[in-house]
Amino acid sequence: MNSEVKAVLERSFEAALHEAVLEEGLVRYDRPGHTRQVAHLPYCHEGRYSAGYYTFGMLTGQLPAEKGLEILQAVAALQITDPAHPHYGGFRWYREEAEIQDSNAAFFILMPLVTVRLCVPDVFPAEHVELMDRMLGHAAVWFSHECAHPEIYYPNKIMSDGAMLLAASVLSGEEHYAREGVEFFRRWEDYTARRGWGWGENLSLVYQSVMMNALRIAMRAIGGRDEELTGRLAARMEELKEILRFHAGEEIVPAIRSYNFKGETIRKSLLWAAAGVRDFADMSGDTFNLNDLVSLLLLEPELAAGIRAQEEQLLPRVREERVFDDARAYSWIGGNVRLGSLSRFPVIPGSYQWPTWGLGWQSFPVSFSVKDKQVSYLRWYVDEGESIRTHPTHDFHGGYLSPALFKESIYPDVQTVSSQRENAALVLRSMNRVNNQVKELADEWVVHRFDGVLETIATEAGGRMWHVLRYPHAAVAVTALLGLAEEDAERKQQPVAVVMDGDTLRLRQVLSSRAEAARLESWRLEAGWAVVAVDGEDGVEVLEAYLNRYTIRDVTEPEAEVPRKMAGAMPRRCTLLLDGQPVVELYADPYHIFA
């Protein structure tokens, strides 16, 4: 362990030592937990953070062995140890839970223990190791089951389960677990090569960290047993780093499962140093959450390497990233503004919303970022009368516990399709077969901490209205395309309402609104947007002249080969033209629903 890594470990644990409150061996939080069983409680005792507290306290020598054993025993008590139990070997996340609700608890709790035993052997006393071995013995059965029946589209979870199975084989010497772990990663790598990253966690700074940790453990455990597989896993890790290098230390746009609800442009992460974007030496004065410290050990070779030697990246630059099958993420980066969009979202069927989970509440399929200001994004907004739900959510706790966009358990098909070329994008957002309780339903751009100037520019070509967010060194212009509101018999130009909610700007297309909540029945609702990002210090006159060069051709294309009797059933083709030449084109057929 090099001196800089050691210093960050020690300083981070010292911070935790002063802040954490331990009760009967587990860290107490004076707030509800994230699962339903503890969401109503004023406090909870968490296993994951407690495991990290124990591990890094022992590693840095700041935790007495006797106190450490008390914590380890309390963490072990969260495990299901009855072989007859259907969840045998798994862990509850909280002491207050009666049963397992978040199945990721097992790998999150064991990850720091396993990492230190692999990377820094002989840290733990023999009595502690004996208890850990019993925990791993139970857990290996759990991980074996998870890898034999994998949710292979859920990359961070299943990769971590596979890594823990391999780690258990190394630490226990159980050869059959090694074979199972290798077979699992062969299957995962084949799936990823054929189809992509499942539901898209390669676009998440949060879950890239978890996946890199899993890959490093897997590569270490597999080693020469299967050199080809080890090499392929190393290539996957490099693929993740290349995404980070492209975004160069700022939030990924677009993003899936990023939880960046406040629109921060820069979020502290060790991954920036691991990818060679930042020099770890510049971060050595920082402290990190104990949950992040596993990466310090597993990614130490990358951290020690410093800033990657590479040519300065061009500005502007473009990257297209495969997510799943033909779904792509398109990102454009200028000097002061960035724009990103997913060609479709959800990228994988069956993942958008369910009563207890879904990706809609935590993802940002279309977003732009202004340097040192904010990441702004499109958001569905549903006022049910008694509560407000948004995708992405405006409330993490509420979004996790009730992740769907409607309170009913039967949902419309919610889709985003986009087409982007460099700094310009066309976006169509739709809901099919809405039959839900609604007071107001809208699609809106959300711009947190807006301190720029909002201009409204009507272009000469067709009198199109652009809303332009002007910043000192950049601008972003958005305009509404044709859409379908509740009462529309055909696609119409939708008005854009401007709302300042404190310091949050919202540009809204309201598709349904009434005085009291009532059941909204609609075969299809649509909101369409064009967005153009402009880099530089142009004044309003220059921006107006630039936008006057753009025209939009938004047409419904009649098609009679299948029945299309409902409003909005016909395909549409939208084209953004610059000086009369097509720049971006988006074709959308309402019958091609990917849900």
Side-chain angles (χ1 to χ4, degrees), residues 127-351:
E127 187 179 4
H128 297 209
V129 172
E130 183 180 344
L131 176 54
M132 282 186 222
D133 285 345
R134 289 200 298 271
M135 295 164 67
L136 278 171
H138 299 309
V141 178
W142 167 271
F143 294 130
S144 175
H145 176 271
E146 295 297 284
C147 290
H149 309 280
E151 295 176 327
I152 204 160
Y153 49 81
Y154 189 173
N156 95 84
K157 180 257 191 302
I158 201 59
M159 292 164 69
S160 297
D161 286 340
M164 290 296 96
L165 183 61
L166 285 167
S169 75
V170 171
L171 295 172
S172 70
E174 295 281 355
E175 177 64 21
H176 66 101
Y177 289 140
R179 290 194 299 269
E180 290 176 14
V182 169
E183 183 56 37
F184 162 74
F185 271 103
R186 285 174 181 157
R187 179 178 177 184
W188 174 82
E189 167 57 26
D190 175 70
Y191 171 87
T192 306
R194 286 187 298 105
R195 306 205 67 180
W197 290 87
W199 57 35
E201 289 171 350
N202 56 330
L203 300 181
S204 168
L205 182 63
V206 175
Y207 291 112
Q208 271 214 24
S209 175
V210 181
M211 292 189 292
M212 283 196 201
N213 292 341
L215 285 169
R216 178 52 52 83
I217 289 174
M219 288 187 287
R220 186 179 186 130
I222 296 170
R225 179 186 292 269
D226 188 331
E227 292 183 356
E228 181 192 7
L229 177 59
T230 301
R232 292 172 70 182
L233 298 183
R236 291 295 171 202
M237 195 161 180
E238 190 64 22
E239 187 178 327
L240 295 176
K241 292 177 190 174
E242 284 297 331
I243 296 173
L244 298 176
R245 290 172 191 140
F246 174 82
H247 289 277
E250 297 195 26
E251 175 70 336
I252 297 169
V253 291
I256 293 175
R257 304 199 72 205
S258 76
Y259 307 108
N260 190 12
F261 307 120
K262 295 299 183 183
E264 304 294 341
T265 60
I266 296 177
R267 293 195 289 169
K268 184 169 69 173
S269 173
L270 289 164
L271 292 195
W272 299 122
V277 172
R278 292 188 60 190
D279 193 332
F280 180 63
D282 296 336
M283 306 172 76
S284 60
D286 293 345
T287 60
F288 291 87
N289 187 288
L290 295 186
N291 293 337
D292 299 326
L293 297 186
V294 165
S295 298
L296 269 177
L297 299 178
L298 292 173
L299 305 180
E300 184 176 352
E302 287 90 343
L303 298 177
I307 294 180
R308 176 186 164 108
Q310 58 184 338
E311 294 182 8
E312 185 173 347
Q313 296 193 76
L314 295 175
L315 289 174
R317 62 181 181 271
V318 165
R319 184 179 180 92
E320 269 194 89
E321 193 70 36
R322 184 191 186 199
V323 185
F324 185 79
D325 287 348
D326 62 346
R328 297 288 194 273
Y330 190 105
S331 304
W332 173 88
I333 294 180
N336 299 287
V337 62
R338 300 163 178 234
L339 176 64
S341 59
L342 289 168
S343 60
R344 70 163 183 260
F345 185 77
V347 299
I348 191 169
S351 65

Side-chain angles (χ1 to χ4, degrees), residues 402-471:
S402 188
L405 198 50
F406 301 92
K407 65 183 178 183
E408 296 89 353
S409 58
I410 301 297
Y411 310 115
D413 296 313
V414 181
Q415 302 285 318
T416 296
V417 291
S418 305
S419 181
Q420 182 177 340
R421 182 179 176 189
E422 297 182 351
N423 65 319
L426 296 171
V427 184
L428 175 63
R429 312 254 282 170
S430 64
M431 292 189 189
N432 271 23
R433 300 179 181 88
V434 183
N435 188 17
N436 302 85
Q437 196 79 1
V438 168
K439 182 179 179 183
E440 183 182 76
L441 189 155
D443 191 34
E444 58 187 15
W445 284 100
V446 177
V447 187
H448 294 289
R449 302 176 301 283
F450 181 64
D451 60 357
V453 176
L454 180 65
E455 306 278 3
T456 301
I457 295 177
T459 57
E460 297 171 4
R464 176 166 294 280
M465 193 71 70
W466 290 86
H467 294 274
V468 182
L469 288 67
R470 288 182 55 218
Y471 298 87

Side-chain angles (χ1 to χ4, degrees), residues 12-62:
S12 297
F13 184 77
E14 286 171 6
L17 189 63
H18 289 101
E19 295 172 1
V21 175
L22 274 80
E23 291 182 344
E24 298 179 6
L26 294 184
V27 173
R28 170 182 169 135
Y29 289 154
D30 287 322
R31 54 173 170 76
H34 74 287
T35 65
R36 279 176 177 73
Q37 294 175 67
V38 296
H40 63 288
L41 300 178
Y43 65 88
C44 58
H45 298 81
E46 192 199 59
R48 179 190 182 187
Y49 193 85
S50 300
Y53 187 93
Y54 161 78
T55 301
F56 297 110
M58 295 298 296
L59 178 60
T60 60
Q62 298 181 71

Side-chain angles (χ1 to χ4, degrees), residues 461 544-553 575-584:
E544 184 172 355
Y546 179 60
L547 291 175
N548 264 307
R549 296 169 57 196
Y550 280 99
T551 53
I552 295 175
R553 188 165 59 230
T575 308
L576 181 66
L577 303 99
L578 179 63
D579 297 329
Q581 297 301 309
V583 175
V584 186

